[in-house]
Amino acid sequence: MSCLEVRNLVKDFKIRSGLRSSTLRAVNDVSFTLEPGRTIALVGESGSGKSTVAKMISQLETPTSGEILLDDAPVGRRGRALTDYRHQVQMVFQDPFASLNPYHTVAHHLERPLQLHGVASGAELEPAVHGLLERVNLTPAETYAAKRPHEMSGGQRQRVAIARALAPGARFLVADEPVSMLDVSIRLGVLNLLARLQREENLGVLYITHDLATARHFSDEILVMYRGDVVERGPSDDVILDPQHDYTKTLLAAAPEPSRHGRLREEVRAELAGA
Ligand SMILES: Nc1ncnc2c1ncn2[C@@H]1O[C@H](COP(=O)(O)OP(=O)(O)OP(=O)(O)O)[C@@H](O)[C@H]1O
Ligand SMILES: [Mg+2]
């Protein structure tokens, strides 16, 4: 079956302080399966291991143990299998400004992955770039293709980062706090874009966030991490409305404005209706 699966993932970091060295278990036995057209939210306090899971999936960190499988096949460490995996599983980071080169145009940022991954070349590049920009609602595409990162808003830059992730033909996106650095007013637009791609293009999304309200609204399933462990998991509404684990209850109690859940849904609905 088509899916991205992590099985019993563990990550230990060696910590050195002076002459002593110790081991920190950042991720402890995490397993889940992300299917196309679905969104899983990974929530939990700072330091709970969310980004470390994302980095292992993105091959930026090597798991201490456990497996990552794409379409039931373990991810290769090198060669074609790894290249294929990288085409299909892409990452969107928190800070779009840091991930874009200020000297290059949007077109340049998108042409590179298209060329590198053999998706388009020569005369095909321009229409391919425009097609990507249209998919992330940056239109007219010709105008945005010529811009440099500083000529755009944070939300527009994050859309470019998403377009770049889509360029190699990604089927799964790992989005690590993709809107937490953006102005509150433009967060929903970017999240709605991810929701549309998930729905219309059958993308699988791993959405990492501190924000329980958007986790609930934008994901099918929520996994709650605490000190490296997944302490609770389930359909989004169940986890938020009827949390079983004390840590989830604490997280919910600490979330700003509980009434916000209701309001956010209204805002999202209004925006979706207008989109
Ligand atoms: N390269 C590293 N070397 C040593 N320790 C690390 C490394 N990367 C992460 N850690 C530690 O692993 C733990 C989990 O970190 P991680 O970044 O995955 O948390 P997080 O849930 O993403 O937190 P945040 O919400 O703040 O982004 C933390 O204690 C962190 O200090
Ligand atoms: Mg993190």
Side-chain angles (χ1 to χ4, degrees):
M1 192 188 65
S2 169
C3 63
L4 175 64
E5 182 182 354
V6 304
R7 217 179 263 174
N8 309 110
L9 272 193
V10 172
K11 181 67 187 180
D12 290 335
F13 287 114
K14 289 247 172 326
I15 309 287
R16 228 165 287 229
S17 60
L19 291 175
R20 287 202 193 147
S21 95
S22 57
T23 303
L24 172 90
R25 178 148 295 188
V27 172
N28 185 34
D29 197 17
V30 169
S31 303
F32 59 84
T33 301
L34 180 59
E35 289 166 12
R38 308 270 296 171
T39 298
I40 293 181
L42 208 52
V43 305
E45 67 189 1
S46 193
S48 56
K50 305 179 299 295
S51 292
T52 306
V53 170
K55 286 178 189 158
M56 287 191 279
I57 295 175
S58 310
Q59 306 279 301
L60 298 171
E61 293 280 5
T62 311
T64 302
S65 62
E67 268 190 315
I68 300 169
L69 302 99
L70 183 63
D71 301 339
D72 297 325
V75 176
R77 292 262 170 270
R78 57 180 77 81
R80 247 201 96 63
L82 182 56
T83 313
D84 273 354
Y85 180 84
R86 291 207 163 122
H87 287 194
Q88 300 190 41
V89 181
Q90 287 277 315
M91 182 129 179
V92 175
F93 296 95
Q94 187 174 23
D95 182 359
F97 213 40
S99 65
L100 301 175
N101 184 327
Y103 299 106
H104 290 308
T105 60
V106 167
H108 180 92
H109 280 95
L110 299 179
E111 281 167 6
R112 271 184 63 84
L114 287 168
Q115 283 172 313
L116 271 174
H117 296 279
V119 180
S121 63
E124 301 158 351
L125 279 171
E126 192 176 272
V129 165
H130 291 179
L132 283 168
L133 290 171
E134 279 155 16
R135 279 164 74 193
V136 298
N137 299 344
L138 288 176
T139 53
E142 309 82 72
T143 308
Y144 285 97
K147 286 187 191 277
R148 286 171 210 279
H150 67 271
E151 297 170 315
M152 294 182 293
S153 72
Q156 290 166 345
R157 284 196 287 269
Q158 195 60 302
R159 285 168 194 270
V160 172
I162 293 169
R164 188 177 52 180
L166 295 174
R171 292 195 294 135
F172 295 96
L173 279 192
V174 177
D176 192 353
E177 305 203 38
V179 298
S180 61
M181 288 189 67
L182 303 180
D183 222 59
V184 174
S185 60
I186 53 176
R187 287 182 183 175
L188 275 185
V190 172
L191 290 174
N192 277 331
L193 166 64
L194 288 175
R196 180 170 63 70
L197 292 168
Q198 174 242 308
R199 210 173 47 240
E200 293 177 3
E201 303 194 15
N202 215 24
L203 204 68
V205 181
L206 182 66
Y207 172 46
I208 295 176
T209 182
H210 282 102
D211 182 17
L212 296 165
T214 57
R216 177 181 172 197
H217 186 84
F218 287 98
S219 58
D220 303 290
E221 194 184 343
I222 294 180
L223 268 63
V224 182
M225 283 190 78
Y226 177 63
R227 297 193 178 175
D229 285 306
V230 171
V231 294
E232 180 155 2
R233 68 199 306 161
S236 301
D237 279 355
D238 294 1
V239 170
I240 300 296
L241 297 176
D242 186 22
Q244 300 300 307
H245 196 280
D246 282 346
Y247 176 67
T248 315
K249 292 178 191 167
T250 311
L251 261 190
L252 279 163
E257 306 174 60
S259 64
R260 206 167 144 236
H261 300 291
R263 202 166 72 229
L264 185 90
R265 299 201 138 215
E266 289 311 312
E267 281 172 27
V268 173
R269 243 181 241 129
E271 205 168 299
L272 284 175

